[in-house]
Amino acid sequence: MANKTQEVGDIQFPFPYTPYSIQKDFMAELYQVLEAGKIGIFESPTGTGKSLSLICGALSWLRDFEQKKRQEEAHLLETVTVPLNGEKAQPPSLSSSCQETPDTLRPAGEPDWVTQFVQKKEERDLVDRLKEEQVRRKKREERLQQLRHNAQLKYAAKRARQEEEEMESLLRLSREMLASGAGAEQLESGEEELVLAEYESDEEKRSARGVDEDEDDFEEEHVTKIYYCSRTHSQLAQFVHEVQKSPFGKDTRLVSLGSRQNLCVNEDVKNLGSVQLINDRCMEMQRSKHVSEKKSKAEEEKPKRRRQEEGWAACPFYNYQQMQLLRDEVLVEVKDIEQLVAMGKEARACPYYGSRFAIPAAQLVVLPYQMLLHAATRQAAGIRLQGQVVIIDEAHNLIDTITGIHSIEVSGSQLCQAHSQLLQYMERYGKRLKAKNLMYIKQILYLLEKFVTVLGGNIKQNPNTQNVSQTGMELKTINDFLFQSQIDNINLFKVRRYCEKSMVSRKLFGFTERYGAVLPPSREHHKLTGFQHFLQGLQPGVTKAAPSAPVEEGEATAPRPASPLMHVEGFLAALTTANQDGRVILSRQGSLSQSSLKFLLLNPAVHFSQVVKECRAVVIAGGTMQPVSDFREQLLACAGVGVERVVEFSCGHVIPPDNILPLVICCGPSNQQLEFTYQKRELPHMMDETGRILCNLCNVVPGGVVCFFPSYEYLHQVHTRWEQSGLLARLAIKKKVFEEPKRTNQVEQVLMEYSKCIKCCGQVVGTVTGALLLSVVGGKMSEGINFSDNLGRCVVMVGMPYPNIKSPELQEKMAYLDQTLPRTPGQAPPGKALVENLCMKAVNQSIGRAIRHQNDFASIVLLDQRYARPPTLAKLPAWIRDRVEVKATFGLAFAALRKFHREKSSPS
């Protein structure tokens, strides 16, 4: 496919093919948003080439930005270096598009000579900095250019690894030979001088110190870049493949970031399973490496077994030189996560840290939501947002994602476990601990005890056997919870900082692992003490009879749980949130182990504000962003973003307008009014009417029909009713009926069978014309799965999927918005608008599954008369809203559907 450069205005956009007009508009608007440093909300329906528009639009801007910056740097160096001999020179300044944050203003009343001196010093500093940047940039470009064109250098990492392995095997043989001797011979006086001293080459010394000659690489300055983030690793991989295919694929320095779980190549660590355990073991092994480097020769001579007992062996993949080589390989050519892992294995270099070394020089960084939206994770990954561009794709659930990342729940079982483990740790090592350590440990123990008490339990008893007297849910403000728990006198900010700096949870995990606290009961059972039996009894779901119960095969490889104190630390950190921005939910459920404390974040803007304040520009993009009022009000306005900085862009679809038929059906075949409220939807005649509508639809719609229900429970009720009334058998005459499974591992199988059935029916003419898939809004089929072409010729939405209005979390969120956001005259209160918006976001996600490319066609059927209300219709995506037809009777709707599918299915 030949690349075609498109010119929009004065800007050139390289593109792999001739773009649609909406793609040109998208790229031009995106370019302006990045250039002006705005916040953009971009909506481009799936199937319109959104990813390519983002890539080509954003990277075209970056290309021009870099070129402009280099030209201005060259101009500055010329103008400043020439007149340094006393001539007057204009003070250097960067253009508005390239300049950094302005310095603070000069104090008034300074003498002229002071001002001139300061100004000249600033000029010299600026020139020095620009020269350093140029040298660093030139070095990097030369290094990457060599790697691109020199085949020998490409295998440098592999060669270095082989040499290292040979050296290690020779050293091992030497040690074995020494160990096999009967002991060192007694040396005569003066003979010691003849014995060779321990040898360490210069390269080994540098490697041990973790530096090489090019030390400034480690402190490399972060170039202006684009951070692109999406929800899942598969979406990120898809985006990287789009970059590879684009005109920018060969010249862009791209790095893919991921968690240790995704990038770790050390099998011993990866097999731990749990994300927290993998993270902790990795950190522990790094510390072991640094500690071992500082050991004296005397300590190195200790028996090997003793040394292993002192800590985990250093990770063989955490090799600075190998990771530097891996970094350069990453920057030379665009690679996805899988390719990065394969390269790391081959080079015996850690992809997790190697990819982080590549961040400063990268132009495009691809990473998951959580890594960008969580400040601590961002900092740990080495991500600096100051002056950078952030693009958040698939952002329809951005508010929920931020809320989810910063909301945390801790169970009564975890609280008791953490208390028991920490108490035993203190009793064992109390005499070795400093006074400050003891003070903080006692404070944490006190907090844990009070948390259990507030749930109605006793810290000294087994939580599995303790029944809670009062059951139900209680919602508190943070301050009320602190007063009720009697912990308002403790400085939680200091406790949080202590936990972070001392890494007490990691020490505790090492302690409990050493004493068998988290080992399966079958291992070394005879060595367990009473304390360990008690700790095992505290494990969630484990009773006293558990050790004698047979262990199932699948359970043997189950990931071990992380330290319970880590969960508690997260909860403590959440309690330091401002009182008005969060709530604590006390859930008392029968036994103490099942009860829990949950922190609920009410104001996601608190965390998002850091992103929008630091970044040059932020783009929030998605296929279905309607209704956008949530983003404007809950996220941007609350984060302090002015109305003038926000730009909205929504484009139509690439399909011809007559390729889609959206219908609102208000009445069924037997003239039953369709209103699936919570009170009416479970009535037998409503369920039967839904079945009759589907029977009629299946008679005229070819291929696949996907029908969405508000919940799994309601789908199950309807399915059972249809079985009893015979409607399911009637449906099966025309379509084979499939039902969405609750288990994720069964989804793939159901989809394969659904797809296979439609394909077979298309090839063989018979009474069965396709398949009917009964799905759930917000379930596995409503997001991320494409029902293109015959897989989804009709999408049906049964009722309006409102969230559970009785949920304490939702009620609190509604009350919070009513208090916080201004009420617009003539519109619903913010709390009620939230419920409407949550419902319509779910609807838009589900009905967008059908149309996936330019030549696709489908009908969309909304079964509920409430969809006909103008405020509800206004919340549909524009490309659907503009074509909606409201049908008062079923006869009119059925005639329109039959005509549409007859015309579209007949060969032209």
Side-chain angles (χ1 to χ4, degrees):
M1 205 173 339
N3 291 336
K4 301 190 177 184
T5 300
Q6 299 298 313
E7 200 162 317
V8 181
D10 297 329
I11 308 157
Q12 291 190 334
F13 294 105
F15 215 76
Y17 53 80
T18 304
Y20 305 125
S21 60
I22 59 172
Q23 288 179 307
K24 289 182 184 178
D25 296 343
F26 187 106
M27 291 188 290
E29 191 67 30
L30 176 63
Y31 192 102
Q32 293 308 322
V33 165
L34 302 188
E35 183 67 16
K38 304 266 186 182
I39 309 292
I41 302 172
F42 281 70
E43 182 181 53
S44 181
T46 311
T48 56
K50 169 170 59 75
S51 295
L52 264 176
S53 301
L54 282 169
I55 291 162
C56 297
L59 290 177
S60 293
W61 170 82
L62 187 62
R63 170 204 64 201
D64 294 349
F65 176 85
E66 287 176 346
Q67 189 179 353
K68 202 184 297 179
K69 191 177 179 187
R70 287 188 186 193
Q71 286 172 351
E72 293 191 359
E73 281 177 8
H75 177 67
L76 280 171
L77 288 171
E78 279 177 26
T79 53
V80 174
T81 49
V82 172
L84 276 178
N85 304 325
E87 295 176 35
K88 287 186 180 180
Q90 289 295 316
S93 64
L94 293 168
S95 75
S96 61
S97 64
C98 297
Q99 70 186 355
E100 295 170 7
T101 312
D103 294 325
T104 50
L105 294 170
R106 293 262 174 280
E110 278 189 351
D112 288 345
W113 68 269
V114 173
T115 308
Q116 285 174 1
F117 176 79
V118 170
Q119 195 174 37
K120 286 203 171 184
K121 186 179 184 306
E122 282 182 356
E123 287 173 17
R124 284 195 296 273
D125 290 346
L126 177 63
V127 170
D128 290 343
R129 200 175 79 243
L130 290 177
K131 282 180 177 175
E132 280 175 20
E133 275 182 34
Q134 282 187 341
V135 169
R136 204 178 281 118
R137 189 164 59 220
K138 194 176 177 184
K139 265 189 188 180
R140 184 183 66 236
E141 285 170 0
E142 284 173 358
R143 198 172 64 235
L144 298 182
Q145 197 67 17
Q146 277 184 322
L147 265 179
R148 268 193 196 98
H149 300 294
N150 191 333
Q152 287 180 335
L153 276 172
K154 281 201 174 189
Y155 300 103
K158 195 173 179 181
R159 235 183 16 251
R161 185 202 66 195
Q162 286 169 345
E163 286 174 11
E164 198 176 309
E165 282 177 350
E166 284 172 17
M167 183 67 77
E168 279 178 11
S169 65
L170 284 169
L171 279 169
R172 193 170 59 250
L173 283 170
S174 303
R175 288 191 189 110
E176 285 171 4
M177 196 169 73
L178 287 167
S180 63
E185 290 178 13
Q186 291 295 317
L187 296 178
E188 293 178 14
S189 176
E191 202 176 351
E192 289 161 1
E193 295 173 11
L194 303 175
V195 180
L196 287 165
E198 181 74 6
Y199 175 75
E200 196 177 29
S201 70
D202 291 342
E203 288 83 2
E204 285 166 339
K205 284 175 185 171
R206 278 200 298 271
S207 178
R209 288 203 309 270
V211 294
D212 64 1
E213 288 165 8
D214 214 359
E215 284 183 33
D216 61 353
D217 280 352
F218 214 21
E219 291 300 317
E220 195 170 354
E221 198 159 325
H222 285 235
V223 302
T224 300
K225 63 177 88 310
I226 295 160
Y227 285 99
Y228 171 91
C229 58
S230 193
R231 205 169 48 84
T232 64
H233 279 288
S234 60
Q235 286 167 342
L236 293 171
Q238 197 176 337
F239 179 81
V240 173
H241 294 151
E242 290 286 338
V243 175
Q244 288 170 333
K245 290 187 289 183
S246 78
F248 295 91
K250 289 186 178 176
D251 301 323
T252 302
R253 299 191 300 276
L254 180 148
V255 57
S256 295
L257 300 182
S259 63
R260 285 182 175 89
Q261 197 175 28
N262 290 104
L263 290 173
C264 181
V265 288
N266 186 328
E267 291 301 324
D268 292 339
V269 177
K270 198 166 186 177
N271 289 340
L272 291 171
S274 157
V275 179
Q276 195 66 58
L277 292 186
I278 290 171
N279 288 345
D280 289 340
R281 182 61 55 82
C282 177
M283 298 295 286
E284 195 66 47
M285 292 174 99
Q286 278 183 65
R287 278 200 300 280
S288 296
K289 182 180 174 70
H290 297 312
V291 169
S292 66
E293 285 162 9
K294 293 175 184 176
K295 279 183 180 178
S296 64
K297 286 182 183 180
E299 283 178 311
E300 291 218 354
E301 287 166 10
K302 286 180 185 178
K304 189 178 179 184
R305 191 173 179 181
R306 174 85 180 274
R307 273 186 284 146
Q308 282 179 340
E309 284 174 2
E310 286 174 3
W312 300 107
C315 181
F317 296 91
Y318 191 75
N319 179 301
Y320 185 76
Q321 287 178 325
Q322 296 298 101
M323 289 190 292
Q324 291 285 75
L325 286 165
L326 184 66
R327 173 203 65 183
D328 291 344
E329 286 281 4
V330 166
L331 293 171
V332 160
E333 197 177 8
V334 174
K335 293 171 187 72
D336 64 17
I337 290 280
E338 284 74 22
Q339 292 167 321
L340 181 59
V341 169
M343 200 193 308
K345 285 178 180 174
E346 188 182 348
R348 284 190 71 78
C350 176
Y352 178 77
Y353 285 102
S355 59
R356 273 152 184 69
F357 285 177
I359 292 173
Q363 295 166 308
L364 181 56
V365 179
V366 178
L367 67 166
Y369 269 0
Q370 290 79 353
M371 203 172 279
L372 184 110
L373 298 172
H374 192 262
T377 311
R378 206 163 56 227
Q379 190 179 351
I383 294 165
R384 297 181 196 170
L385 294 181
Q386 193 66 48
Q388 309 293 16
V389 170
V390 164
I391 297 175
I392 302 171
D393 202 0
E394 301 298 333
H396 55 272
N397 58 356
L398 179 61
I399 294 171
D400 293 338
T401 302
I402 298 171
T403 304
I405 291 170
H406 297 92
S407 296
I408 189 160
E409 187 169 15
V410 61
S411 69
S413 178
Q414 288 170 329
L415 293 169
C416 287
Q417 250 189 305
H419 187 276
S420 294
Q421 292 175 3
L422 194 57
L423 188 64
Q424 292 291 329
Y425 178 87
M426 189 183 75
E427 286 174 0
R428 183 169 180 85
Y429 301 119
K431 290 179 181 177
R432 290 172 173 266
L433 297 173
K434 301 283 185 189
K436 199 163 265 190
N437 273 317
L438 274 175
M439 179 192 78
Y440 278 114
I441 286 174
K442 284 177 180 176
Q443 280 191 346
I444 296 167
L445 287 169
Y446 176 78
L447 288 168
L448 292 167
E449 186 178 342
K450 291 299 177 184
F451 289 157
V452 169
T453 305
V454 85
L455 283 173
N458 186 332
I459 198 75
K460 293 174 182 175
Q461 294 174 17
N462 190 321
N464 293 318
T465 55
Q466 277 190 76
N467 289 326
V468 178
S469 54
Q470 292 180 328
T471 57
M473 292 180 85
E474 196 180 349
L475 208 135
K476 299 270 180 190
T477 64
I478 297 171
N479 286 348
D480 286 348
F481 173 75
L482 297 178
F483 283 117
Q484 188 180 336
S485 305
Q486 297 175 349
I487 58 170
D488 52 296
N489 58 329
I490 289 181
N491 188 328
L492 292 177
F493 289 93
K494 284 189 174 182
V495 174
R496 176 189 177 178
R497 185 161 177 78
Y498 170 76
C499 290
E500 286 172 2
K501 294 291 178 187
S502 69
M503 294 182 285
V504 62
S505 60
R506 289 189 182 126
K507 301 282 186 191
L508 189 61
F509 175 70
F511 168 71
T512 51
E513 192 176 52
R514 174 178 288 230
Y515 287 96
V518 294
L519 293 176
S522 57
R523 291 193 204 169
E524 300 184 345
H525 181 57
H526 60 284
K527 293 184 184 176
L528 298 181
T529 63
F531 156 59
Q532 290 140 20
H533 275 304
F534 178 60
L535 285 177
Q536 283 191 348
L538 297 179
Q539 297 284 353
V542 178
T543 61
K544 287 187 177 180
S548 59
V551 179
E552 289 184 27
E553 199 174 334
E555 290 176 6
T557 56
R560 290 178 290 174
S563 164
L565 189 59
M566 290 171 192
H567 292 281
V568 176
E569 280 181 7
F571 183 69
L572 289 173
L575 291 179
T576 60
T577 307
N579 184 55
Q580 70 273 15
D581 292 331
R583 297 289 182 270
V584 180
I585 300 167
L586 290 78
S587 175
R588 301 182 180 97
Q589 306 290 331
S591 71
L592 176 61
S593 63
Q594 293 171 319
S595 302
S596 65
L597 298 172
K598 182 180 179 181
F599 173 80
L600 174 68
L601 179 71
L602 293 177
N603 184 12
V606 173
H607 299 283
F608 196 63
S609 62
Q610 296 172 345
V611 176
V612 292
K613 280 174 189 169
E614 289 182 24
C615 290
R616 173 198 178 91
V618 177
V619 174
I620 304 167
T624 47
M625 297 296 285
Q626 292 293 335
V628 295
S629 56
D630 280 0
F631 295 104
R632 277 185 168 278
E633 293 162 12
Q634 288 185 48
L635 210 54
L636 300 178
C638 290
V641 178
V643 180
E644 69 288 345
R645 200 185 168 195
V646 182
V647 175
E648 267 184 57
F649 176 85
S650 181
C651 62
H653 215 295
V654 291
I655 57 163
D658 58 354
N659 273 24
I660 182 174
L661 178 66
L663 296 176
V664 174
I665 302 181
C666 304
C667 205
S670 60
N671 288 327
Q672 175 69 48
Q673 284 291 312
L674 300 178
E675 192 169 346
F676 292 85
T677 59
Y678 199 75
Q679 295 79 17
K680 293 179 184 177
R681 71 185 192 186
E682 292 177 12
L683 297 171
H685 64 265
M686 283 296 284
M687 293 193 264
D688 291 345
E689 194 76 340
T690 308
R692 285 190 286 270
I693 291 169
L694 281 176
C695 282
N696 280 287
L697 293 184
C698 289
N699 284 332
V700 296
V701 177
V705 177
V706 184
C707 181
F708 286 102
F709 290 84
S711 67
Y712 282 104
E713 290 71 28
Y714 187 56
L715 169 56
H716 182 67
Q717 280 181 320
V718 170
H719 194 273
T720 306
R721 172 68 188 173
W722 289 351
E723 274 182 323
Q724 293 166 354
S725 65
L727 273 165
L728 201 63
R730 280 177 60 192
L731 282 167
I733 295 169
K734 283 288 182 184
K735 305 283 183 191
K736 187 174 178 182
V737 182
F738 293 88
E739 195 175 348
E740 179 178 323
K742 269 194 172 183
R743 290 188 178 182
T744 309
N745 58 359
Q746 295 173 346
V747 172
E748 194 71 33
Q749 183 65 29
V750 172
L751 280 173
M752 278 175 65
E753 289 175 13
Y754 172 76
S755 178
K756 190 178 176 182
C757 175
I758 291 168
K759 194 176 179 182
C760 290
C761 294
Q763 292 167 349
V764 181
V765 179
T767 53
V768 179
T769 60
L772 169 64
L773 180 59
L774 306 177
S775 305
V776 176
V777 174
K780 320 289 183 300
M781 309 290 187
S782 66
E783 200 173 323
I785 293 170
N786 300 338
F787 293 106
S788 60
D789 301 319
N790 275 340
L791 292 181
R793 288 302 181 202
C794 180
V795 174
V796 182
M797 179 65 62
V798 177
M800 297 187 75
Y802 283 108
N804 180 10
I805 200 75
K806 293 179 181 175
S807 155
E809 289 102 320
L810 183 59
Q811 287 181 345
E812 196 62 29
K813 178 82 175 178
M814 289 168 70
Y816 172 79
L817 292 177
D818 285 339
Q819 290 166 11
T820 313
L821 298 180
R823 184 171 178 178
T824 312
Q827 290 188 2
K832 193 178 178 186
L834 168 73
V835 176
E836 289 281 339
N837 289 349
L838 286 171
C839 169
M840 290 311 294
K841 273 185 191 294
V843 169
N844 293 340
Q845 266 308 109
S846 301
I847 62 179
R849 301 293 94 208
I851 303 289
R852 312 308 285 181
H853 59 83
Q854 190 177 17
N855 300 316
D856 209 352
F857 69 89
S859 53
I860 295 168
V861 177
L862 304 172
L863 296 183
D864 200 306
Q865 62 182 10
R866 290 175 292 174
Y867 281 111
R869 298 179 302 198
T872 305
L873 285 173
K875 294 184 192 309
L876 288 169
W879 63 280
I880 294 176
R881 183 176 65 233
D882 296 343
R883 302 287 300 169
V884 168
E885 296 176 28
V886 178
K887 301 293 183 185
T889 65
F890 184 75
L892 293 170
F894 183 73
L897 277 164
R898 185 170 54 191
K899 182 173 181 269
F900 174 81
H901 285 287
R902 191 177 288 165
E903 287 175 359
K904 292 295 167 191
S905 301
S906 61
S908 51

